[in-house]
Amino acid sequence: AKEQFLANRSHEIRTPMNAILGFAQILNRRQGLDEDQRHSVATIQRSGNHLLRLINDVLDISRIEAGRMELHATDFDLRVLVEDLGVMFGLRCQQKQLGWRLEGLEPDPLWVHGDEGKLSQVLINLLGNAVKFTSEGQVAMQITSLADHRYRFEVIDTGPGIAVEEQDKL
């Protein structure tokens, strides 16, 4: 019953999501859009594609429940992923009158190999919780380059944090 429910709901979500993505593609082809408008349309497209990937992950509930989530490693520009998150969470912070900082992001493309969708999911969850539980102050994401083409991501906020007794459950 759960799989049938998820399949039906995912179809209901995909239909309007595909319409949104289709209109974003049409807008992107229009002449006369200024740079801000083009950037906004591109953000809509990337966010919509991310949402479709999430829907596909939810549909694969049997793998999740069995603890066998598969990674789909590809080459991608980490800078683009982080910039998109910066736009998304910069707006959320602005709506809550919080400061937003993105630190350690280099201006050049940063090609990495990994599962872009899973990395994006993790960072969205961490940043989403930071914004959700921070009522004043700021939220920041810091990216640090480590050895062997590895990177550390830190989400820092002025919210109450996770209770010490709850940290062991993470």
Side-chain angles (χ1 to χ4, degrees):
K2 182 174 21 176
E3 285 185 37
Q4 186 63 41
F5 173 80
L6 290 173
N8 288 338
R9 289 298 172 255
S10 68
H11 177 73
E12 291 173 14
I13 294 170
R14 281 182 188 185
T15 301
M17 195 68 238
N18 283 322
I20 291 167
L21 288 171
F23 280 112
Q25 289 173 349
I26 291 168
L27 282 173
N28 202 29
R29 291 186 208 129
R30 278 204 176 156
Q31 302 297 321
L33 292 181
D34 64 36
E35 200 57 36
D36 272 352
Q37 291 168 326
R38 286 208 182 280
H39 184 69
S40 295
V41 171
T43 300
I44 291 168
Q45 284 181 302
R46 283 189 296 272
S47 297
N49 284 324
H50 175 71
L51 183 56
L52 285 177
R53 283 191 302 273
L54 291 176
I55 292 166
N56 289 334
D57 285 346
V58 168
L59 278 178
D60 203 359
I61 195 74
S62 62
R63 283 189 198 162
I64 294 169
E65 289 177 342
R68 295 185 328 233
M69 178 57 75
E70 292 180 12
L71 295 178
H72 302 286
T74 60
D75 294 330
F76 65 95
D77 186 349
L78 183 62
R79 184 185 55 79
V80 170
L81 178 126
V82 171
E83 280 181 347
D84 289 347
L85 293 174
V87 169
M88 183 186 313
F89 285 96
L91 289 171
R92 288 188 189 178
C93 285
Q94 186 178 32
Q95 290 169 343
K96 285 190 71 175
Q97 298 179 339
L98 298 171
W100 166 251
R101 289 187 335 214
L102 184 56
E103 300 172 351
L105 186 63
E106 299 294 324
D108 298 324
L110 184 56
W111 291 98
V112 298
H113 186 77
D115 191 325
E116 182 179 12
K118 299 294 186 290
L119 176 60
S120 182
Q121 275 182 295
V122 169
L123 294 174
I124 285 172
N125 287 339
L126 292 171
L127 290 165
N129 284 339
V131 172
K132 180 179 177 179
F133 294 109
T134 301
S135 57
E136 60 182 34
Q138 68 179 357
V139 173
M141 183 166 66
Q142 185 174 27
I143 299 100
T144 306
S145 177
L146 306 173
D148 299 324
H149 304 286
R150 295 174 48 194
Y151 298 88
R152 177 177 52 227
F153 298 87
E154 296 177 78
V155 175
I156 305 156
D157 62 69
T158 55
I162 300 170
V164 175
E165 59 274 6
E166 295 294 317
Q167 292 177 13
D168 290 338
K169 296 178 183 176
L170 293 178

